[in-house]
Amino acid sequence: MAWFTKVAPGLKVRAETRVKVPEGGLWQRCPDCSEIIYNEEIEKNCQVCPRCLHHFRIGARQRIEMTCDPSSFVEHDADLTAADPLDFRDSKRYRDRIRGVRRSVGENEAIVCGMGRLGGRPISIGAFEFGFLGGSMGSAVGEKVARLFDRATEHRCPAIIFCASGGARMQEGVLSLMQMAKTTGALAQFRRVRQPYLPVLTDPTTGGVAASFAMQGDVCLAEPKALVGFAGPRVIEQTIRQTLPPDFQRSEFLVEHGMVDLIVARPQIPETLGKLIDLLAG
Amino acid sequence: MLHNPTMATYFLPFEKPLVELERKLQELKEFGTGNRVQDEIKRLERRALRLREEIFRGLTRWQIVQLARHPSRPFTLDYVPHVFDEFVELHGDRRFADDASIVGGLARLGGRPLVVIGHQKGRGTKDNIHRNFGSPRPEGYRKAKRLMRLAERFERPVVTFVDTQGAYPGVGAEERGQAEAIAANLQAMMELRVPIVTAIIGEGGSGGALAIAVADRVMMLEFSIYSVITPEGCASILWRDSGRAEQAADALRLTAPDLFGLGVVDEIVREAPGGAQRDSVLTAGHLREALIRHVDELGALEPEERVNRRIAKYRRLGVFHEEQR
Ligand SMILES: [Zn+2]
């Protein structure tokens, strides 16, 4: 029963469909509606297809930039990175794999965290970088999430996390699993100060992240059509030996089954977060 | 169900030499007479003891995985009558169903009333289907959470037994919010005001195990395992070959001594010589002794202190780099 869900290869499929039509990379084909669109146009629309509203995956920094008031974000714990406590090795040593990913992705870990402002109010915010080993949670990610809640407790301000993760990071073994408990503990302390914690589930959020702080929010938001679930679809298909319908485990499916409060299109997310914070703790 | 050594009818390959020796001994005891036979019995007994020590001292991680999954290994309900003095099983999550892959109820541990919750695997096809092979669906976790709340209301400690390959990855389980059910249990256990003691008795399979294993004290039976993913699952992702599970078991470091070394478990509980499947009653006795000790120690703390220590304990888990500034 795979806990670390196999969504990482799924990203590859998506990335491949995002074919740059020749001539200089000014265009791309939307994987959903197949329209050819100007990159500039997608950029202006928060990386959302203006024709069919397909949400392209975006990186952590872009996400934070879209959410926080201009130049209000101050990063914390930027130099916190993975160790290799198990001396883990598959085809590569884990420590070498981390070194390679840090270089190719340009981030030190799978989440970027810090303090920012939203509509003038302070927020403790974090966003997952799915490109960094499938946004997987090892000890460093767990510690960064815990500290995100600590800062929210200290400043008595809302906490916001944009989730995008395949789950626990296998290469740190049971220590990765324990990050689910560790983050839950930091959140438990934060819950005492009566400020909202608002997770935003983005494509994809599964495994150990879904089964911990992603699903422990006071109000739970999701982007349209994001894959959200405990087990990855491939694992389920192998178990039940059937093909799953395309809408299975998508945000709309979760709302229908009562697991998510509301689906919000990317351009409206900051405004919606602000409104919720106002209504809960304004 | 009574579980005793005679039930162990299946043997792992590495147990074979020992089992053959024990059979010979048994035959001699039944049919042999005279002094020379008595001497022979004594000699074989000494040899069996030495052989058992030799085999079980040098077990590989993969052999321990096999022991943890031994078909005759005692399950939660095999231990309950020997660990506790009384037990009333309670059913249902009050939301959807009664999930038989998690059992729970009220029990008494040497005069201490408490709530016990555990994963439950099945024996044989029919029982296994009933127990869903020990893989809970959301209703199982919600039943567990309901029983924890009951414990809190009546100020009773919670004892949990962990033995699952993992939470069930099925369509219905996803529809009913498997991720939410696990997440909610982690939160409930982290905030629960009464003492919580967990024993990993067989397989501790990822989030499906942790969902009833956030505790003040976590113990592991000597030949149990606890991991973020099964060795097979790990191997099929890393090498696209589930046949390399043995190698994955080594890489994952999932045995009791491994986890004790990482600070994830607080105590390793001894099993009967040759593994719990050879004597569940003796193993239950070891569990009982440890449970009483931990429940009493934790009972001496104020609830707030207990919760804060629990949070702090998990806060310490994990290894990472941070450049000093
Ligand atoms: Zn489109």
Side-chain angles (χ1 to χ4, degrees), chain A residues 1 3-4 81-82 86 139 147 150 173 179 181-182 191-192 211 216 230-231 249 257 259, chain B residues 167 174-176 183 187 190-191 206 226 228 237-238 251 253 308 315 317-322:
Chain A
M1 228 150 281
W3 167 249
F4 181 95
T81 60
L86 304 192
S139 302
R147 291 187 189 180
D150 290 351
Q179 304 311 307
K182 178 186 206 161
R191 285 162 59 80
R192 295 171 186 167
Q216 292 169 340
F230 173 67
Q249 294 181 311
H257 288 93
M259 295 301 146
Chain B
E174 292 292 323
E175 285 174 341
R176 296 192 294 281
Q187 192 167 321
M190 198 58 84
E191 296 179 354
S206 70
Y226 195 6
V228 69
I237 293 174
L238 291 184
R253 306 221 189 162
N308 287 339
R315 185 60 191 250
L317 294 180
V319 181
F320 51 83
H321 286 307
E322 188 171 25

mmCIF file of all heavy atoms in Angstrom, chain A residues 1 3-4 81-82 86 139 147 150 173 179 181-182 191-192 211 216 230-231 249 257 259, chain B residues 167 174-176 183 187 190-191 206 226 228 237-238 251 253 308 315 317-322:
data_model
loop_
_atom_site.group_PDB
_atom_site.id
_atom_site.type_symbol
_atom_site.label_atom_id
_atom_site.label_comp_id
_atom_site.label_asym_id
_atom_site.label_seq_id
_atom_site.Cartn_x
_atom_site.Cartn_y
_atom_site.Cartn_z
ATOM 1 N N MET A 1 0.838 -1.188 0.000
ATOM 2 C CA MET A 1 0.000 0.000 0.000
ATOM 3 C C MET A 1 0.877 1.244 0.000
ATOM 4 O O MET A 1 1.482 1.582 1.006
ATOM 5 C CB MET A 1 -0.847 -0.011 1.255
ATOM 6 C CG MET A 1 -2.272 0.260 0.964
ATOM 7 S SD MET A 1 -3.309 -0.567 2.160
ATOM 8 C CE MET A 1 -3.297 -2.238 1.534
ATOM 9 N N TRP A 3 2.271 4.727 0.315
ATOM 10 C CA TRP A 3 1.900 5.907 1.079
ATOM 11 C C TRP A 3 2.390 7.124 0.322
ATOM 12 O O TRP A 3 1.695 8.098 0.144
ATOM 13 C CB TRP A 3 2.563 5.772 2.450
ATOM 14 C CG TRP A 3 2.523 7.013 3.225
ATOM 15 C CD1 TRP A 3 3.567 7.803 3.557
ATOM 16 C CD2 TRP A 3 1.369 7.605 3.775
ATOM 17 N NE1 TRP A 3 3.121 8.860 4.278
ATOM 18 C CE2 TRP A 3 1.789 8.764 4.421
ATOM 19 C CE3 TRP A 3 0.011 7.283 3.777
ATOM 20 C CZ2 TRP A 3 0.912 9.602 5.082
ATOM 21 C CZ3 TRP A 3 -0.861 8.117 4.427
ATOM 22 C CH2 TRP A 3 -0.408 9.255 5.079
ATOM 23 N N PHE A 4 3.589 7.028 -0.136
ATOM 24 C CA PHE A 4 4.141 8.069 -0.990
ATOM 25 C C PHE A 4 3.504 7.841 -2.343
ATOM 26 O O PHE A 4 3.818 6.907 -3.045
ATOM 27 C CB PHE A 4 5.655 7.879 -1.095
ATOM 28 C CG PHE A 4 6.311 8.925 -1.938
ATOM 29 C CD1 PHE A 4 6.850 10.047 -1.355
ATOM 30 C CD2 PHE A 4 6.372 8.776 -3.304
ATOM 31 C CE1 PHE A 4 7.458 10.998 -2.130
ATOM 32 C CE2 PHE A 4 6.973 9.724 -4.079
ATOM 33 C CZ PHE A 4 7.510 10.846 -3.483
ATOM 34 N N THR A 81 17.524 22.869 5.189
ATOM 35 C CA THR A 81 17.485 21.875 4.108
ATOM 36 C C THR A 81 17.567 20.445 4.644
ATOM 37 O O THR A 81 17.858 20.223 5.809
ATOM 38 C CB THR A 81 18.676 22.054 3.138
ATOM 39 O OG1 THR A 81 19.884 21.882 3.894
ATOM 40 C CG2 THR A 81 18.668 23.410 2.493
ATOM 41 N N ALA A 82 17.346 19.511 3.733
ATOM 42 C CA ALA A 82 17.320 18.100 4.089
ATOM 43 C C ALA A 82 18.699 17.601 4.513
ATOM 44 O O ALA A 82 19.714 17.965 3.931
ATOM 45 C CB ALA A 82 16.834 17.281 2.903
ATOM 46 N N LEU A 86 19.084 8.553 7.192
ATOM 47 C CA LEU A 86 19.113 7.092 7.015
ATOM 48 C C LEU A 86 20.267 6.661 6.118
ATOM 49 O O LEU A 86 20.425 5.474 5.865
ATOM 50 C CB LEU A 86 17.803 6.591 6.400
ATOM 51 C CG LEU A 86 16.492 6.934 7.109
ATOM 52 C CD1 LEU A 86 15.360 6.103 6.508
ATOM 53 C CD2 LEU A 86 16.575 6.685 8.595
ATOM 54 N N SER A 139 11.966 15.821 6.894
ATOM 55 C CA SER A 139 12.171 16.533 8.166
ATOM 56 C C SER A 139 12.241 18.047 7.995
ATOM 57 O O SER A 139 11.728 18.796 8.825
ATOM 58 C CB SER A 139 13.460 16.057 8.828
ATOM 59 O OG SER A 139 13.429 14.669 9.053
ATOM 60 N N ARG A 147 7.390 25.769 12.045
ATOM 61 C CA ARG A 147 7.820 27.139 12.363
ATOM 62 C C ARG A 147 6.859 28.175 11.787
ATOM 63 O O ARG A 147 6.705 29.261 12.344
ATOM 64 C CB ARG A 147 9.238 27.389 11.843
ATOM 65 C CG ARG A 147 10.272 26.596 12.608
ATOM 66 C CD ARG A 147 11.667 27.009 12.177
ATOM 67 N NE ARG A 147 12.677 26.118 12.732
ATOM 68 C CZ ARG A 147 13.972 26.266 12.511
ATOM 69 N NH1 ARG A 147 14.410 27.259 11.763
ATOM 70 N NH2 ARG A 147 14.839 25.409 13.047
ATOM 71 N N ASP A 150 4.378 28.410 14.321
ATOM 72 C CA ASP A 150 4.958 29.120 15.475
ATOM 73 C C ASP A 150 4.900 30.638 15.278
ATOM 74 O O ASP A 150 4.555 31.378 16.188
ATOM 75 C CB ASP A 150 6.442 28.743 15.659
ATOM 76 C CG ASP A 150 6.621 27.312 16.142
ATOM 77 O OD1 ASP A 150 5.621 26.671 16.502
ATOM 78 O OD2 ASP A 150 7.785 26.848 16.147
ATOM 79 N N GLY A 173 12.382 7.855 5.428
ATOM 80 C CA GLY A 173 11.725 6.789 6.171
ATOM 81 C C GLY A 173 10.685 7.278 7.155
ATOM 82 O O GLY A 173 9.929 8.217 6.872
ATOM 83 N N GLN A 179 6.625 13.729 10.607
ATOM 84 C CA GLN A 179 6.373 15.144 10.348
ATOM 85 C C GLN A 179 4.877 15.446 10.324
ATOM 86 O O GLN A 179 4.460 16.570 10.585
ATOM 87 C CB GLN A 179 7.035 15.591 9.034
ATOM 88 C CG GLN A 179 8.540 15.325 8.967
ATOM 89 C CD GLN A 179 9.283 15.808 10.197
ATOM 90 O OE1 GLN A 179 9.169 16.969 10.589
ATOM 91 N NE2 GLN A 179 10.025 14.911 10.835
ATOM 92 N N ALA A 181 2.806 14.273 12.464
ATOM 93 C CA ALA A 181 2.472 14.514 13.866
ATOM 94 C C ALA A 181 3.095 15.823 14.342
ATOM 95 O O ALA A 181 2.478 16.595 15.071
ATOM 96 C CB ALA A 181 2.954 13.340 14.720
ATOM 97 N N LYS A 182 4.313 16.063 13.902
ATOM 98 C CA LYS A 182 5.012 17.275 14.336
ATOM 99 C C LYS A 182 4.253 18.539 13.907
ATOM 100 O O LYS A 182 4.029 19.450 14.705
ATOM 101 C CB LYS A 182 6.408 17.279 13.715
ATOM 102 C CG LYS A 182 7.234 18.484 14.015
ATOM 103 C CD LYS A 182 8.526 18.398 13.193
ATOM 104 C CE LYS A 182 9.641 19.155 13.844
ATOM 105 N NZ LYS A 182 10.951 18.731 13.357
ATOM 106 N N ARG A 191 -3.733 26.806 17.337
ATOM 107 C CA ARG A 191 -5.191 26.838 17.464
ATOM 108 C C ARG A 191 -5.648 27.517 18.760
ATOM 109 O O ARG A 191 -6.771 27.983 18.856
ATOM 110 C CB ARG A 191 -5.756 25.417 17.383
ATOM 111 C CG ARG A 191 -5.748 24.863 15.953
ATOM 112 C CD ARG A 191 -5.878 23.353 15.916
ATOM 113 N NE ARG A 191 -7.095 22.863 16.536
ATOM 114 C CZ ARG A 191 -8.291 22.858 15.961
ATOM 115 N NH1 ARG A 191 -8.425 23.302 14.734
ATOM 116 N NH2 ARG A 191 -9.348 22.392 16.600
ATOM 117 N N ARG A 192 -4.736 27.573 19.739
ATOM 118 C CA ARG A 192 -5.109 28.199 21.009
ATOM 119 C C ARG A 192 -5.259 29.716 20.891
ATOM 120 O O ARG A 192 -5.874 30.336 21.734
ATOM 121 C CB ARG A 192 -4.048 27.879 22.083
ATOM 122 C CG ARG A 192 -3.965 26.385 22.427
ATOM 123 C CD ARG A 192 -2.770 26.116 23.322
ATOM 124 N NE ARG A 192 -2.589 24.681 23.562
ATOM 125 C CZ ARG A 192 -1.499 24.158 24.094
ATOM 126 N NH1 ARG A 192 -0.498 24.933 24.458
ATOM 127 N NH2 ARG A 192 -1.401 22.849 24.277
ATOM 128 N N ALA A 211 -3.227 14.060 4.422
ATOM 129 C CA ALA A 211 -3.734 13.431 5.647
ATOM 130 C C ALA A 211 -3.199 14.085 6.909
ATOM 131 O O ALA A 211 -3.232 13.492 7.986
ATOM 132 C CB ALA A 211 -3.401 11.941 5.645
ATOM 133 N N GLN A 216 -6.575 19.984 7.914
ATOM 134 C CA GLN A 216 -6.863 20.409 9.291
ATOM 135 C C GLN A 216 -7.209 21.889 9.372
ATOM 136 O O GLN A 216 -7.147 22.492 10.439
ATOM 137 C CB GLN A 216 -5.648 20.105 10.199
ATOM 138 C CG GLN A 216 -5.414 18.614 10.411
ATOM 139 C CD GLN A 216 -4.084 18.310 11.069
ATOM 140 O OE1 GLN A 216 -3.174 19.143 11.054
ATOM 141 N NE2 GLN A 216 -3.949 17.130 11.644
ATOM 142 N N PHE A 230 -6.145 10.885 -0.438
ATOM 143 C CA PHE A 230 -5.164 10.191 0.396
ATOM 144 C C PHE A 230 -4.293 9.318 -0.489
ATOM 145 O O PHE A 230 -3.099 9.523 -0.625
ATOM 146 C CB PHE A 230 -5.873 9.362 1.468
ATOM 147 C CG PHE A 230 -4.925 8.509 2.252
ATOM 148 C CD1 PHE A 230 -3.988 9.096 3.089
ATOM 149 C CD2 PHE A 230 -4.948 7.132 2.149
ATOM 150 C CE1 PHE A 230 -3.092 8.324 3.801
ATOM 151 C CE2 PHE A 230 -4.053 6.350 2.863
ATOM 152 C CZ PHE A 230 -3.127 6.947 3.688
ATOM 153 N N ALA A 231 -4.882 8.327 -1.114
ATOM 154 C CA ALA A 231 -4.124 7.445 -2.002
ATOM 155 C C ALA A 231 -4.100 8.040 -3.400
ATOM 156 O O ALA A 231 -5.064 8.661 -3.838
ATOM 157 C CB ALA A 231 -4.780 6.074 -2.041
ATOM 158 N N GLN A 249 -11.506 12.278 -7.293
ATOM 159 C CA GLN A 249 -10.508 12.966 -6.470
ATOM 160 C C GLN A 249 -10.157 14.367 -6.953
ATOM 161 O O GLN A 249 -9.127 14.913 -6.580
ATOM 162 C CB GLN A 249 -9.209 12.158 -6.359
ATOM 163 C CG GLN A 249 -9.374 10.856 -5.595
ATOM 164 C CD GLN A 249 -8.057 10.115 -5.483
ATOM 165 O OE1 GLN A 249 -7.360 9.939 -6.468
ATOM 166 N NE2 GLN A 249 -7.706 9.672 -4.300
ATOM 167 N N HIS A 257 -18.492 15.664 -1.901
ATOM 168 C CA HIS A 257 -18.494 14.717 -0.785
ATOM 169 C C HIS A 257 -18.249 15.388 0.563
ATOM 170 O O HIS A 257 -18.022 14.710 1.568
ATOM 171 C CB HIS A 257 -17.475 13.607 -1.039
ATOM 172 C CG HIS A 257 -17.921 12.662 -2.112
ATOM 173 N ND1 HIS A 257 -17.563 12.826 -3.431
ATOM 174 C CD2 HIS A 257 -18.740 11.598 -2.073
ATOM 175 C CE1 HIS A 257 -18.136 11.877 -4.153
ATOM 176 N NE2 HIS A 257 -18.853 11.114 -3.362
ATOM 177 N N MET A 259 -15.789 17.459 1.674
ATOM 178 C CA MET A 259 -14.439 17.487 2.246
ATOM 179 C C MET A 259 -13.747 18.840 2.107
ATOM 180 O O MET A 259 -12.701 19.065 2.705
ATOM 181 C CB MET A 259 -13.566 16.417 1.586
ATOM 182 C CG MET A 259 -14.020 15.010 1.872
ATOM 183 S SD MET A 259 -14.039 14.654 3.633
ATOM 184 C CE MET A 259 -15.436 13.537 3.725
ATOM 185 N N ALA B 167 -3.816 2.413 5.532
ATOM 186 C CA ALA B 167 -5.220 2.737 5.314
ATOM 187 C C ALA B 167 -5.640 2.232 3.939
ATOM 188 O O ALA B 167 -4.832 2.201 3.017
ATOM 189 C CB ALA B 167 -5.433 4.240 5.413
ATOM 190 N N GLU B 174 -12.018 7.005 -0.342
ATOM 191 C CA GLU B 174 -11.691 8.365 -0.793
ATOM 192 C C GLU B 174 -12.939 9.246 -0.762
ATOM 193 O O GLU B 174 -12.881 10.396 -0.354
ATOM 194 C CB GLU B 174 -11.093 8.332 -2.204
ATOM 195 C CG GLU B 174 -9.724 7.679 -2.280
ATOM 196 C CD GLU B 174 -8.620 8.473 -1.574
ATOM 197 O OE1 GLU B 174 -8.647 9.716 -1.620
ATOM 198 O OE2 GLU B 174 -7.748 7.836 -0.955
ATOM 199 N N GLU B 175 -14.070 8.688 -1.201
ATOM 200 C CA GLU B 175 -15.319 9.463 -1.200
ATOM 201 C C GLU B 175 -15.682 9.932 0.203
ATOM 202 O O GLU B 175 -16.195 11.025 0.398
ATOM 203 C CB GLU B 175 -16.469 8.601 -1.741
ATOM 204 C CG GLU B 175 -16.433 8.409 -3.234
ATOM 205 C CD GLU B 175 -17.501 7.445 -3.732
ATOM 206 O OE1 GLU B 175 -18.048 6.653 -2.920
ATOM 207 O OE2 GLU B 175 -17.789 7.463 -4.928
ATOM 208 N N ARG B 176 -15.401 9.074 1.174
ATOM 209 C CA ARG B 176 -15.784 9.414 2.547
ATOM 210 C C ARG B 176 -14.642 10.123 3.300
ATOM 211 O O ARG B 176 -14.745 10.336 4.491
ATOM 212 C CB ARG B 176 -16.236 8.152 3.286
ATOM 213 C CG ARG B 176 -17.495 7.532 2.660
ATOM 214 C CD ARG B 176 -18.110 6.475 3.530
ATOM 215 N NE ARG B 176 -17.271 5.296 3.692
ATOM 216 C CZ ARG B 176 -17.141 4.312 2.806
ATOM 217 N NH1 ARG B 176 -17.806 4.370 1.658
ATOM 218 N NH2 ARG B 176 -16.374 3.284 3.039
ATOM 219 N N ALA B 183 -6.250 12.870 9.230
ATOM 220 C CA ALA B 183 -5.823 14.188 9.716
ATOM 221 C C ALA B 183 -6.560 14.558 11.009
ATOM 222 O O ALA B 183 -5.958 15.084 11.949
ATOM 223 C CB ALA B 183 -6.074 15.249 8.637
ATOM 224 N N GLN B 187 -5.001 15.236 14.913
ATOM 225 C CA GLN B 187 -5.324 16.438 15.684
ATOM 226 C C GLN B 187 -5.964 16.067 17.030
ATOM 227 O O GLN B 187 -5.583 16.591 18.073
ATOM 228 C CB GLN B 187 -6.274 17.301 14.857
ATOM 229 C CG GLN B 187 -6.453 18.687 15.405
ATOM 230 C CD GLN B 187 -7.146 19.587 14.390
ATOM 231 O OE1 GLN B 187 -6.884 19.527 13.186
ATOM 232 N NE2 GLN B 187 -8.038 20.410 14.876
ATOM 233 N N MET B 190 -3.357 14.599 19.367
ATOM 234 C CA MET B 190 -2.385 15.582 19.839
ATOM 235 C C MET B 190 -2.983 16.434 20.953
ATOM 236 O O MET B 190 -2.271 16.877 21.840
ATOM 237 C CB MET B 190 -1.954 16.458 18.651
ATOM 238 C CG MET B 190 -0.682 17.230 18.857
ATOM 239 S SD MET B 190 0.746 16.193 19.233
ATOM 240 C CE MET B 190 1.302 15.693 17.599
ATOM 241 N N GLU B 191 -4.294 16.649 20.906
ATOM 242 C CA GLU B 191 -4.935 17.548 21.868
ATOM 243 C C GLU B 191 -5.624 16.810 23.012
ATOM 244 O O GLU B 191 -6.130 17.437 23.943
ATOM 245 C CB GLU B 191 -5.933 18.455 21.126
ATOM 246 C CG GLU B 191 -5.242 19.386 20.122
ATOM 247 C CD GLU B 191 -6.195 20.285 19.354
ATOM 248 O OE1 GLU B 191 -7.417 20.132 19.499
ATOM 249 O OE2 GLU B 191 -5.711 21.145 18.596
ATOM 250 N N SER B 206 2.523 3.298 7.702
ATOM 251 C CA SER B 206 2.371 4.713 7.320
ATOM 252 C C SER B 206 1.221 5.433 8.028
ATOM 253 O O SER B 206 0.951 5.209 9.190
ATOM 254 C CB SER B 206 2.280 4.826 5.805
ATOM 255 O OG SER B 206 1.077 4.316 5.317
ATOM 256 N N TYR B 226 7.713 -0.598 11.534
ATOM 257 C CA TYR B 226 6.987 0.677 11.469
ATOM 258 C C TYR B 226 7.660 1.472 10.364
ATOM 259 O O TYR B 226 8.867 1.695 10.412
ATOM 260 C CB TYR B 226 7.118 1.380 12.827
ATOM 261 C CG TYR B 226 6.160 2.534 13.080
ATOM 262 C CD1 TYR B 226 5.140 2.868 12.198
ATOM 263 C CD2 TYR B 226 6.284 3.301 14.244
ATOM 264 C CE1 TYR B 226 4.268 3.911 12.471
ATOM 265 C CE2 TYR B 226 5.418 4.353 14.524
ATOM 266 C CZ TYR B 226 4.419 4.652 13.627
ATOM 267 O OH TYR B 226 3.568 5.698 13.919
ATOM 268 N N VAL B 228 7.186 4.345 6.720
ATOM 269 C CA VAL B 228 6.442 5.338 5.949
ATOM 270 C C VAL B 228 5.781 4.691 4.734
ATOM 271 O O VAL B 228 4.834 5.218 4.172
ATOM 272 C CB VAL B 228 7.391 6.493 5.532
ATOM 273 C CG1 VAL B 228 8.405 6.014 4.501
ATOM 274 C CG2 VAL B 228 6.619 7.690 4.999
ATOM 275 N N ILE B 237 8.406 1.891 -6.389
ATOM 276 C CA ILE B 237 8.563 3.288 -6.799
ATOM 277 C C ILE B 237 10.023 3.585 -7.159
ATOM 278 O O ILE B 237 10.320 4.142 -8.203
ATOM 279 C CB ILE B 237 8.094 4.254 -5.695
ATOM 280 C CG1 ILE B 237 6.576 4.141 -5.505
ATOM 281 C CG2 ILE B 237 8.459 5.695 -6.048
ATOM 282 C CD1 ILE B 237 6.038 4.942 -4.341
ATOM 283 N N LEU B 238 10.940 3.142 -6.299
ATOM 284 C CA LEU B 238 12.341 3.504 -6.501
ATOM 285 C C LEU B 238 13.016 2.710 -7.614
ATOM 286 O O LEU B 238 13.810 3.246 -8.366
ATOM 287 C CB LEU B 238 13.131 3.324 -5.208
ATOM 288 C CG LEU B 238 12.794 4.293 -4.095
ATOM 289 C CD1 LEU B 238 13.720 4.064 -2.914
ATOM 290 C CD2 LEU B 238 12.920 5.741 -4.574
ATOM 291 N N ALA B 251 16.940 -0.229 3.408
ATOM 292 C CA ALA B 251 17.072 1.217 3.213
ATOM 293 C C ALA B 251 16.131 1.996 4.137
ATOM 294 O O ALA B 251 16.478 3.067 4.628
ATOM 295 C CB ALA B 251 16.793 1.575 1.750
ATOM 296 N N ARG B 253 14.948 1.205 7.106
ATOM 297 C CA ARG B 253 15.225 1.113 8.552
ATOM 298 C C ARG B 253 13.934 1.070 9.364
ATOM 299 O O ARG B 253 13.595 2.031 10.054
ATOM 300 C CB ARG B 253 16.065 2.298 9.007
ATOM 301 C CG ARG B 253 17.316 2.438 8.188
ATOM 302 C CD ARG B 253 18.457 2.787 9.062
ATOM 303 N NE ARG B 253 19.617 3.142 8.276
ATOM 304 C CZ ARG B 253 20.636 3.810 8.765
ATOM 305 N NH1 ARG B 253 20.605 4.200 10.021
ATOM 306 N NH2 ARG B 253 21.677 4.071 8.025
ATOM 307 N N ASN B 308 1.412 19.250 26.533
ATOM 308 C CA ASN B 308 2.578 20.033 26.119
ATOM 309 C C ASN B 308 3.798 19.146 25.875
ATOM 310 O O ASN B 308 4.560 19.351 24.930
ATOM 311 C CB ASN B 308 2.897 21.106 27.161
ATOM 312 C CG ASN B 308 1.876 22.237 27.122
ATOM 313 O OD1 ASN B 308 1.188 22.432 26.109
ATOM 314 N ND2 ASN B 308 1.757 22.952 28.221
ATOM 315 N N ARG B 315 7.827 17.383 18.288
ATOM 316 C CA ARG B 315 8.550 18.518 17.740
ATOM 317 C C ARG B 315 10.038 18.184 17.555
ATOM 318 O O ARG B 315 10.705 18.683 16.668
ATOM 319 C CB ARG B 315 8.376 19.723 18.677
ATOM 320 C CG ARG B 315 8.976 21.003 18.157
ATOM 321 C CD ARG B 315 8.318 21.358 16.836
ATOM 322 N NE ARG B 315 9.002 22.415 16.174
ATOM 323 C CZ ARG B 315 8.504 23.642 16.041
ATOM 324 N NH1 ARG B 315 7.323 23.938 16.503
ATOM 325 N NH2 ARG B 315 9.185 24.557 15.408
ATOM 326 N N LEU B 317 11.307 15.353 16.658
ATOM 327 C CA LEU B 317 11.589 14.307 15.671
ATOM 328 C C LEU B 317 11.905 14.892 14.295
ATOM 329 O O LEU B 317 11.174 15.736 13.791
ATOM 330 C CB LEU B 317 10.409 13.337 15.569
ATOM 331 C CG LEU B 317 10.143 12.511 16.826
ATOM 332 C CD1 LEU B 317 8.959 11.576 16.610
ATOM 333 C CD2 LEU B 317 11.374 11.711 17.219
ATOM 334 N N GLY B 318 12.975 14.383 13.706
ATOM 335 C CA GLY B 318 13.370 14.869 12.391
ATOM 336 C C GLY B 318 14.825 15.299 12.417
ATOM 337 O O GLY B 318 15.343 15.703 13.456
ATOM 338 N N VAL B 319 15.477 15.173 11.284
ATOM 339 C CA VAL B 319 16.886 15.569 11.166
ATOM 340 C C VAL B 319 17.016 16.433 9.923
ATOM 341 O O VAL B 319 16.577 16.039 8.844
ATOM 342 C CB VAL B 319 17.797 14.329 11.029
ATOM 343 C CG1 VAL B 319 19.248 14.750 10.933
ATOM 344 C CG2 VAL B 319 17.594 13.366 12.187
ATOM 345 N N PHE B 320 17.589 17.624 10.089
ATOM 346 C CA PHE B 320 17.751 18.525 8.939
ATOM 347 C C PHE B 320 18.986 19.388 9.150
ATOM 348 O O PHE B 320 19.557 19.415 10.238
ATOM 349 C CB PHE B 320 16.502 19.407 8.765
ATOM 350 C CG PHE B 320 16.082 20.104 10.030
ATOM 351 C CD1 PHE B 320 16.671 21.290 10.429
ATOM 352 C CD2 PHE B 320 15.083 19.543 10.840
ATOM 353 C CE1 PHE B 320 16.299 21.914 11.608
ATOM 354 C CE2 PHE B 320 14.702 20.167 12.024
ATOM 355 C CZ PHE B 320 15.307 21.347 12.415
ATOM 356 N N HIS B 321 19.384 20.079 8.087
ATOM 357 C CA HIS B 321 20.513 21.003 8.174
ATOM 358 C C HIS B 321 20.002 22.429 8.291
ATOM 359 O O HIS B 321 19.006 22.768 7.680
ATOM 360 C CB HIS B 321 21.362 20.954 6.895
ATOM 361 C CG HIS B 321 22.192 19.731 6.780
ATOM 362 N ND1 HIS B 321 23.052 19.321 7.766
ATOM 363 C CD2 HIS B 321 22.313 18.828 5.775
ATOM 364 C CE1 HIS B 321 23.655 18.216 7.375
ATOM 365 N NE2 HIS B 321 23.224 17.890 6.180
ATOM 366 N N GLU B 322 20.694 23.217 9.035
ATOM 367 C CA GLU B 322 20.376 24.636 9.054
ATOM 368 C C GLU B 322 21.673 25.402 9.234
ATOM 369 O O GLU B 322 22.386 25.186 10.208
ATOM 370 C CB GLU B 322 19.408 24.954 10.186
ATOM 371 C CG GLU B 322 18.895 26.365 10.122
ATOM 372 C CD GLU B 322 17.767 26.614 11.114
ATOM 373 O OE1 GLU B 322 17.703 25.902 12.125
ATOM 374 O OE2 GLU B 322 16.958 27.523 10.874
#
